[in-house]
Amino acid sequence: MAGSTDSSTKTMGALTLGGLVVVTAYTVALGSNGWLWFGWVVLGLITLALIVTRTN
């Protein structure tokens, strides 16, 4: 079905948002860590790619 996302894509999106919350909380509490932000960006790009490939 065009435009729909399956449960694995929704799970990946939830993990990405959860990762953003964790990285932001870490940054507020202990200071910025470039590797954490880099990892979150990579996770976000993978999630975005998954969404784009599932909706086409």
Side-chain angles (χ1 to χ4, degrees):
M1 179 175 198
S4 68
T5 56
D6 62 358
S7 63
S8 63
T9 305
K10 289 179 183 178
T11 302
M12 190 72 170
L15 287 173
T16 302
L17 288 176
L20 177 61
V21 170
V22 168
V23 171
T24 302
Y26 182 93
T27 298
V28 169
L30 301 174
S32 184
N33 184 334
W35 285 110
L36 286 178
W37 284 106
F38 175 75
W40 183 82
V41 168
V42 169
L43 182 63
L45 290 174
I46 292 170
T47 302
L48 185 62
L50 206 86
I51 292 169
V52 168
T53 58
R54 298 283 185 188
T55 56
N56 286 336

